[in-house]
Amino acid sequence: MSKVEKIKLLKKRYKAERRFKFYGILSVCLAILFLFILIINIFSKGSGAFFKTEILLNIKFDEKKLGLNINSSDKEIQEANFEEILKDALLVLAPKVPELKQAELIDMVSIDAALEVKKFYFYNKGVLNKIAEVPLTLSDDLDQVYKGNFPRDIPEERRRFSDFQLKIFDDQISKNKIVYKFNWSFLTNADSREPELAGVASSLAGSFFTILVCLILSFPIGILAAIYLEEFAPKNKITEIIEVNVNNLAAVPSIVFGLLGLGVFLNYFYLPRSTPLVGGMVLALMTLPRIIIPCRAALKAVPPSIREGALALGASKVQTVMHNVVPLAMPGTLSGTIIGLSQALGETAPLLLIGMIAFINVVPATPIDPSAVLPVQVYLWSESAERGFVEKTSATIIILIFFLIIMNSFAIYLRNKFERKWS
Amino acid sequence: MIKKKLIIISAILMMISSYAVARDQIKIVGSSTVYPFSTVVAERFGKQGKFKTPVVESTGTGGGFKSFCGGVGVQHPDITGASRAIKKDELELCIKNGVTEVIELPIGNDGIAFSHSVKAKDQNFTKTQLWKAIAHDVVVDGKLVKNPFKNWSDIDKSLPNIKIEILVAPPTSGTRDAFDELVMVKGCDTDFQKLADKKNCTKYREDGAVIEAGENDTLIVQKLTSSPNIFGYFGYSYLAANKDKIKAVKIDGIAPTIEGIQNFSYPVARPLFIYAKKAHASVIPGFKEFLNEYTGKSAVGTTGYLFKVGLVPNSKATEDKVRDTAANLVVLKQ
């Protein structure tokens, strides 16, 4: 081979290397691009849900109409009717309108408006017999107009709000009585069929309890199973069959676990339907193989010299495993567990069968209260017809992604912090 | 130490089982079409503060009946929603499991709107034309062939010369069942029924003209808005909530108006029901009150809050009758 040929060949090899690097960069770029499009899409749709419009309404807290006085107890305030003073205040916006239009005026605020007035009075008891400016949640139709999600320049019969309502709304905007602010109630309210009142608190609490139950069950069982199979179990036909089955179980579609939950937990043990307790138990079954497999891999990665050293110093088998092997395998085990749990966090299919695809209007306080979970909330809202739920759906996805990022980065942190390099 | 643990465990188990024994919350299952209405009533009912908000599950009509008819007792749901009347075999299952007293309440009606973008020209299709556009096989010149129609004008010269593109619901959807029953079966022409099994009337074509869009109706609305030549169908409440973006086509010359759906002159309309167990009326707190709320004056009728979320109300006479049925817990005759 001549020198020229050698140089040619070398050039060709360099070229191939550059080409390969280029393909790699290209695929990474494509992956980032898709992720970017997804995130932009969700954020641009969902960010609106974190803000809401309120109307500042001058309300006269007439003691006769409320039936309260300055010494009224909290219980009396709870039972007082605030609808009337709210209606009076709304009618001031457009005096002397026929009764039909009055109903349209009342529809401009959310159905919880009287409750909001009551709450305001609860914290500002000094306003009795005075006029006070109270911020009230607007109905979602007007909220969507303000956010530009619903066009206003189309014929009235194709809109969800009347010309009359729009005129008053514009009037209030020009008087600076419409405020646009951070929507705390989205994080503190339970689910509602009124988009302006709907929040994620119930499904957030539901997800928390479900994952808690799942962790409490699957983590100890999974780790003990993995340690036994890896360190103690004899290598024979039976353990081989178990190993194949564990791997198989990790690939079983999640809906199958839901059927199992329905058949065993609900129909045989009569555990309460639609609750995080049962949801967590079903998800624990699903998560178990996903904990056992990485845990065994982590145990396998601990070099035999550690075990032999401990045994040589007179430690028993249990001492060797518990004091030396398991602590070294912990980082891998923990990150496996967290990734397993974050998969469980995003699961809906098995929950359908045990009744967790449900409308829950109260924030659950214990794992045996009926509740939904975050991905279920996404599903239910994406099915809803009202325009306001479109942004709520994306906002819930943002919250779900946020929690997944936190969990997964915690897994990476644990791995990096505690991982031992064997050199 | 072990004793203490045992006490704690048994206390937890007792707490759970006592919860299962005494339920103070209504449980509703059933159709996803009825779900948006049941949830609105449930929420308003809970806000009155006298009883807990009922839990409403979206299980589908068939699944709803299956668990509703599972038996009498607190572990079984109290009410189920249905987008069709109860079938004979479902009622038999109910009776077999001891659910002998079932209260049937028609809460209102739903129309299936065959819709397209507001930007497109108004259209009018007959049921047979729709069937010809969607069916897998049709009869041309006395022979059974694979659906050859590419454009609407291929079906009938009077129809526009645009490509047939229709977004449909998946087979699991109750809306599709109703559409199949009311349009595909009725629009199926007699020539076809002579040459092929009637069951094949509801078989959809697979050459790309009919696109299965998944259960998500919001997505269908978005697709219709972005391309004016595509059609899709869904429940009336979607049309009502998105009337700035989409409009319905006329079927057999009739548009899906409230009156048309109410008196079933619009061909693709169906009644919606809830079914309740009389045996639970004295056991579950708020059971009677909830049925009264569901059929009460503030909920139903054209001024009621259910109308605002897209439920087409019953006629005045039916409305009063249903209210009576709910108030007196009148049981369905077997």
Side-chain angles (χ1 to χ4, degrees), chain A residues 10-271:
Chain A
L10 197 63
K11 267 190 181 162
K12 211 176 159 191
R13 279 164 59 195
Y14 278 141
K15 246 187 192 162
E17 194 177 323
R18 275 200 300 273
R19 218 166 34 233
F20 185 76
K21 269 189 190 164
F22 173 73
Y23 292 150
I25 292 171
L26 195 69
S27 46
V28 169
C29 284
L30 267 179
I32 289 176
L33 183 74
F34 288 138
L35 189 70
F36 197 67
I37 291 170
L38 177 81
I39 285 177
I40 293 276
N41 183 24
I42 289 170
F43 270 78
S44 62
K45 269 193 203 155
S47 54
F50 291 101
F51 296 92
K52 70 168 179 180
T53 43
E54 288 185 342
I55 183 167
L56 300 171
L57 201 61
N58 285 318
I59 293 180
K60 184 163 189 274
F61 291 86
D62 193 319
E63 67 176 3
K64 279 192 202 114
K65 280 181 180 165
L66 290 172
L68 294 172
N69 59 48
I70 200 78
N71 300 319
S72 290
S73 68
D74 286 357
K75 193 168 171 272
E76 280 170 314
I77 296 172
Q78 277 302 336
E79 282 163 6
N81 186 0
F82 284 76
E83 300 273 355
E84 200 180 344
I85 60 164
L86 170 71
K87 195 178 165 191
D88 289 347
L90 281 166
L91 290 183
V92 173
L93 296 180
K96 289 182 207 146
V97 291
E99 208 159 310
L100 210 74
K101 295 273 179 205
Q102 285 186 7
E104 284 183 16
L105 263 180
I106 292 162
D107 278 347
M108 286 181 66
V109 289
S110 79
I111 60 164
D112 261 3
L115 214 69
E116 289 175 346
V117 178
K118 189 183 275 178
K119 219 175 187 177
F120 179 85
Y121 180 74
F122 215 79
Y123 293 109
N124 307 280
K125 286 182 188 139
V127 297
L128 197 64
N129 280 327
K130 286 185 203 136
I131 291 178
E133 202 169 60
V134 185
L136 298 174
T137 308
L138 271 175
S139 90
D140 71 300
D141 292 332
L142 293 171
D143 182 53
Q144 292 301 310
V145 173
Y146 194 86
K147 287 172 182 164
N149 293 339
F150 205 101
R152 48 189 299 157
D153 48 359
I154 52 175
E156 191 177 7
E157 73 271 8
R158 268 176 41 208
R159 277 191 249 125
R160 287 178 56 81
F161 43 90
S162 64
D163 284 341
F164 171 71
Q165 286 175 321
L166 199 60
K167 195 177 143 258
I168 292 184
F169 182 59
D170 287 338
D171 191 35
Q172 294 300 308
I173 291 178
S174 64
K175 284 181 185 154
N176 281 330
K177 294 283 187 197
I178 304 287
V179 286
Y180 189 60
K181 63 181 197 190
F182 190 76
N183 190 0
W184 283 109
S185 59
F186 179 60
L187 301 176
T188 57
N189 277 9
D191 189 9
S192 165
R193 284 283 296 133
E194 312 289 326
E196 70 272 24
L197 300 174
V200 292
S202 52
S203 45
L204 212 55
S207 270
F208 172 75
F209 285 130
T210 308
I211 293 301
L212 191 71
V213 170
C214 177
L215 175 71
I216 288 172
L217 288 175
S218 63
F219 186 63
I221 297 176
I223 287 193
L224 287 177
I227 292 173
Y228 179 77
L229 284 176
E230 195 56 42
E231 301 288 334
F232 294 96
K235 299 270 177 274
N236 57 23
K237 274 265 153 58
I238 297 170
T239 48
E240 247 169 53
I241 289 171
I242 291 175
E243 183 164 352
V244 168
N245 274 306
V246 167
N247 290 336
N248 229 341
L249 222 53
V252 166
S254 54
I255 189 113
V256 175
F257 293 104
L259 274 171
L260 188 74
L262 175 71
V264 177
F265 300 144
L266 294 186
N267 293 348
Y268 191 73
F269 288 114
Y270 290 126
L271 290 174

Side-chain angles (χ1 to χ4, degrees), chain A residues 296-318:
Chain A
R296 288 187 68 178
L299 289 169
K300 236 181 229 154
V302 176
S305 56
I306 301 286
R307 293 184 187 84
E308 282 153 13
L311 290 173
L313 289 172
S316 70
K317 182 85 185 167
V318 176

Side-chain angles (χ1 to χ4, degrees), chain A residues 45 103 107 111-112 115 149-151 154 156-160 191-194 197 266 270-275 277 352 354-362 368-370 379-387 390, chain B residues 15-17 19-20 25 27 29 32 35-40 42-44 46-47 52-59 67 75-77 118 215-219 221-222 237-238 240-246 308-309:
Chain A
K45 269 193 203 155
D107 278 347
I111 60 164
D112 261 3
L115 214 69
N149 293 339
F150 205 101
I154 52 175
E156 191 177 7
E157 73 271 8
R158 268 176 41 208
R159 277 191 249 125
R160 287 178 56 81
D191 189 9
S192 165
R193 284 283 296 133
E194 312 289 326
L197 300 174
L266 294 186
Y270 290 126
L271 290 174
R273 210 177 148 86
S274 319
T275 53
L277 175 75
L352 170 73
I354 52 157
M356 287 187 87
I357 311 252
F359 174 72
I360 307 294
N361 191 226
V362 271
I368 51 169
D369 288 330
Y379 168 74
L380 286 175
W381 282 349
S382 74
E383 288 278 291
S384 301
E386 287 85 359
R387 189 66 44 88
V390 175
Chain B
M15 209 168 76
I16 295 168
S17 58
Y19 172 92
Q25 202 169 26
K27 289 221 165 185
V29 293
S32 55
Y35 169 87
F37 309 124
S38 295
T39 45
V40 169
E43 185 174 0
R44 303 250 179 172
K47 286 221 163 107
K52 276 194 180 174
T53 309
V55 172
V56 188
E57 279 179 46
S58 166
T59 61
S67 58
Q75 71 271 28
H76 301 290
V118 286
E215 277 275 22
N216 196 323
D217 290 341
T218 313
L219 207 72
V221 171
Q222 278 170 13
S237 56
Y238 266 87
N242 293 294
K243 52 189 177 181
D244 60 321
K245 289 181 179 167
I246 50 169
K308 279 185 201 135
V309 287

Side-chain angles (χ1 to χ4, degrees), chain B residues 280-321:
Chain B
H280 286 192
S282 51
V283 185
I284 308 293
F287 184 88
K288 282 182 217 162
E289 289 81 355
F290 181 75
L291 293 186
N292 289 337
E293 172 73 28
Y294 214 135
T295 53
K297 286 205 166 91
S298 59
V300 297
T302 46
T303 51
Y305 54 74
L306 284 175
F307 178 65
K308 279 185 201 135
V309 287
L311 180 70
V312 177
N314 286 319
S315 65
K316 197 76 194 135
T318 320
E319 185 189 318
D320 292 338
K321 216 176 100 197

